[in-house]
Amino acid sequence: MRQFFLKRNTGSNTRKRWQSFALALGLVAFANFANAQVDMTWTGASSNNFVIEDNWDPAGDPNGNNLTVPMQTDSSLAPYAIEVTGAEDISVNWLEVQYATEDQYQPTVTINLDSDETLFEVSTGNASNCDYNYTGIILKQGHYKFTKTNGPRVDSDNSWLKVEGGVAEFGNLLMGNSNSPSSGGKIYISGDGEVRLNDTFGRIFTGREDGQVEIIEDGILTVHGNFEVPTENWINGGENYSIARSYDAVANQTTFSAVPASYIGIENSDRQVLKTGVESTDTLHLIQTNSVVGASTFEWRYRAKDEETYTSFNGDAANAPKFAPSFNQSGTFFVSCVVDGTPTENEVEFFVVSSEISFAPAEFPVQFVRINETGAEITAEFTTEPTSMEWKYATTPGGPYESFDPAVTTASISPSFNETGNHYVVVIAEINGETHTSLELFYNVEEAGTTSKSLTWSGLVSSEGTNPANWDPVANPYKNSLAIGAFDSLSTLPYPVYEPVGNDTIYTFWVGPGASMTINTEDSVNFRGGWQQAQGNLIIQNGVITNKGYFRLDRATGKVELHNDSKMIIENLLMGERTTDGGIIELNDNAVLHCINLPGRVSPDTLQSVTYVSDNASIEYEGDVQADVTVWINEAKIVCPDEGFEPYVTFDGELTVVTARNLNAFALDNAELDMTTPGTPTETEIGLVNVDGVTSWEWKWSDNVNGPWNSFDPAATDETTFAPAFDQAGDYYVVAVTAEDVQTTNIKQIKVVDLSVAPADTQVVAQDATAETLTVNIPEVVTLSGGMWLVEDETGYIEETGIEDASYTPSLFTPGTFHIYYYAEVQDAEGNPYTLYSNKVVIEYGNTAVDQMDIADLEVFPNPTSGTFHFNANFDSKYTVEIFNIAGSLVYKNEFTDNGMKSITFNKKGVYMVKVQADEQIQMSRLIVK
């Protein structure tokens, strides 16, 4: 791929700034690695040969690289008249030839390859926009092609491009500068050179006195479309030539060429078709060369086909440089003009047909039909009823004509063809004993796989979007690109209702502001193009609409409506034009909008970039994007327009779904996500609202947000509040369903996480033994904020151990049966807090006596106590009193030196073990403090 880039001498600094920025992003190394592009500057150290490596700094092959030819003030310093020669294709990323000011020597690059098939290609240019100024480029032979889609510029007074041979090919060529509207460059086309524009001219500058395009000799300029020059001198032939213009409707291409100043000829020389007695609407006019401008007499004349004798037209109008002929008889005629005794060098063919036959709809300039595809239906209408009629066709204008197979003798025809090429269809009828031939209907028959033709809605026949006659050019819209613009406010023409049968494909489409398009199908329509635009109203009544690439809803006038059971699947939905305008989407009935990716470009305007959800319609987003969608709902970008409804978000494991929820209907009072552990009821109970008229209901569950819904075991019926529990970890959903099978409008999601303690088996621990260490598993789906091990005795009393570690070795002191479990404060991925409790491990403690010690019972009273209790240790010597909680932690200790009744006040509620010890003697008692 080659690139030829020329721009002003400030471009080097621009490129350097870009390179510095890219380097900061770490992109330069990657770009050079991926594309092997090197910045090279011309030195001409060895010669003026473009491909010699020593002529560049750094030395190397210029192919694929970024090239700069700098300015010199002295032409003798180096050979700056660079020559590009050879038989090999050349491709450069960009070529910047800096252009001269008055005191500088202009370097030139002359492309003179071995043949016009040899390619010199410029692939990008050194800026993201159209920052390319052509100057110093001379094309003598070769195919010079600029492949970037946005337009190169010839937009400064001293910028120029000379094409003296070969083909220079562009897309859109900018001839003026929006920043400097009073300047523009020039293109010189001479020899047998051709400039080819696959698009057209942009930013035209009309103030240049010598025009912007000069064509002499055999030079040719071709422009896509029916291009009209903005001023008479904009394209000119210099001092010695005039310009001839022709337009090919089939190719949709305008051609400009040069003719000598002495030339006498007719400019619009394309074949014309007329009805008898009807004056030509395409007036013939002579090319305004020196020979014509100075002439005094003009004789317009005609001859019949296969005849040499001319007949002059009558009337004063026939003595002028412009003339609109008419004929009173049918046939093929050739028209020319004699100017001051000299005949024109060309003639114009007229195919004159019967005025007795017309068509409905009126004849089209051209119809495009793919092989074996049916064309638009055409009906022949007759002034006088014919004795007989038949539709026929030819592959050359004017015949000979042959019958269709089978022959078509009805008034209407929807022709199909099995060979590509031009076909000319006529009606030949017998009227009052004479043969009458109609106008030719022109069909361009294309290959079956031909796609991407650009069609504009005309609505000429009806609102049928599938009817080729309603599009301009006339063609089947299937696999083509469609544009629907707004009609004039006084127009009664309809907008399209597109109702294809079977699966259909449209490549791109555009609905303009004020226009509309309705799609109604039992099947599907696939939009293939990357940039769909709904700036007017797109209405989907039925069918599945898919769009790969980008779907742009980027104007305040844009609206998409989905009705009935329609579904629209969009890969990338753009809801606005970056930070400004944005359209709206309306979802009604059971319609579904499915977004593969989250929408982008949401306008901050409160009335724009809004999706309205009504009835049973829904929005589907792939993946769990509830947080993003909730933000949009809070910002009123997803709205329920009906009073008493609000957007409701759920996630079914694959899709985030938004529906319209009736706030006044039977519902749960708490539908927020809750979290618990296996076997543990939710901490918050679920209640019901809007229960007027509801007499009976049942709580049900499912592991899918869409059901099916199962009864709990045992069934939970008619309970006003409910705290469900589930035995296994997972995601569960809970609803209430009335006896009439009416389900709550919202759903409670419960996430059961495996906060488990292991080992979970019951432990039997002797009073003199140590329990097995317990470890809690914190699930990855949550983040632990804080937690603690708890001990619960058989009375239900819970003791905090103060131990927060994941592992815990129970240190029990009081004999009995205990439940050990972990209490955790956690947060989910969105930061929402939850309290979780693990499973409970049973420990049977103290069933075996302590052999080493003589343990006797200690009598304490009152027991239970409200805080103060008494005991008599009956020890003669000093002894110690200790009180332990059920977790084995020491909570009280004191030493006594005399015996007798003692009183201790200890008012912390719980179950304790009182231990009195004197030397090897121990007395113990269980104490309950209420």
Side-chain angles (χ1 to χ4, degrees), residues 621-648:
Y621 304 96
E622 293 193 0
D624 187 357
V625 291
Q626 296 176 86
D628 299 270
V629 173
T630 300
V631 171
W632 290 335
I633 292 174
N634 294 336
E635 294 178 349
K637 293 303 177 183
I638 300 177
V639 174
C640 292
D642 300 323
E643 186 176 354
F645 288 79
E646 71 174 5
Y648 179 61

Side-chain angles (χ1 to χ4, degrees), residues 7 282 432 528 538 704 801 881 908:
K7 66 179 269 227
D282 189 2
N432 294 331
R528 289 280 303 278
L538 176 63
N704 189 298
T801 66
V881 178
K908 186 178 180 181

